Amino acid sequence: MNFEILKQKIETAAKKAFLDAYEKHGSEKIYSFALYSDEGAMTVCPATNTVRVLEHYAEEGDLVYYKYEPAEWAYEMEGAEKEFDDICSELRAELDKNDEDNGWFEKFQTGLYSACVEVLEKLKKENFFSQITGDEIFLIFTVSDYEFETDDLRKIITRLNDNEYKNEYLAWMDTWGN
């Protein structure tokens, strides 16, 4: 798979998904955007959350978890549905062609995850999100049913965020396992 072409497709889809989310939910004050995949490297999906949604969780406790865990965000797999469906179909076709080669899979999975992080980093550096919202946006790449090594997750958060969200997330990470 040509990961440069894949990155271009993910970037186009991510931009469209964020613009779609902003059009629908911008009045709720979007503060976050994520790309996520699965352990089998078969999907790439967007997720977005808003301050208004977080207000609901403020009374339930563990607000930081709901703030930073894309699986808990209100707007998962919303926006640029066709573009992301096309990407997922392409990923599955590539996996089907190479399903017997474990060495290939590990490189493919790493390439996909890296592509997603690189796209988010590129959009951050271009100020794509803040130009639209006028505010800093928390960015993350995550994988459902999979845990990154702590150091790897710290690197992702630091790479994608130069804001107070980064500091709060890293402080939250320090409480894990305590």
Side-chain angles (χ1 to χ4, degrees), residues 108-150:
F108 179 78
Q109 182 189 54
T110 299
L112 173 63
Y113 295 176
S114 294
C116 290
V117 172
E118 289 170 23
V119 164
L120 289 171
E121 183 178 37
K122 180 178 187 279
L123 295 177
K124 176 195 88 164
K125 286 180 178 178
E126 293 174 351
N127 295 315
F128 172 77
F129 302 101
S130 60
Q131 285 178 359
I132 293 165
T133 65
D135 294 309
E136 293 290 330
I137 297 293
F138 172 70
L139 300 173
I140 189 169
F141 170 72
T142 191
V143 178
S144 57
D145 300 322
Y146 178 87
E147 285 191 34
F148 285 105
E149 293 293 326
T150 302

Side-chain angles (χ1 to χ4, degrees), residues 7-27:
K7 279 196 299 193
Q8 291 170 0
K9 291 177 181 179
I10 293 170
E11 179 181 344
T12 298
K15 285 179 173 179
K16 185 173 185 329
F18 190 79
L19 290 169
D20 289 351
Y22 189 76
E23 184 177 317
K24 287 182 179 178
H25 311 291
S27 66

Side-chain angles (χ1 to χ4, degrees), residues 31-32 34 36 47-49 54 57 62-74 76 138 140 142-147 153 169 172 176:
Y31 74 88
S32 61
Y36 65 95
T48 307
N49 208 18
L54 275 184
Y57 291 109
D62 208 7
L63 177 63
V64 177
Y65 172 75
Y66 291 102
K67 185 175 186 177
Y68 293 119
E69 179 51 53
E72 301 297 335
W73 292 355
E76 264 191 288
F138 172 70
I140 189 169
T142 191
V143 178
S144 57
D145 300 322
Y146 178 87
E147 285 191 34
L153 182 55
Y169 192 97
W172 176 50
W176 298 354

Side-chain angles (χ1 to χ4, degrees), residues 42-60:
M42 294 183 281
T43 60
V44 176
C45 304
T48 307
N49 208 18
T50 67
V51 171
R52 183 178 297 158
V53 170
L54 275 184
E55 291 169 354
H56 166 74
Y57 291 109
E59 298 170 7
E60 294 187 24

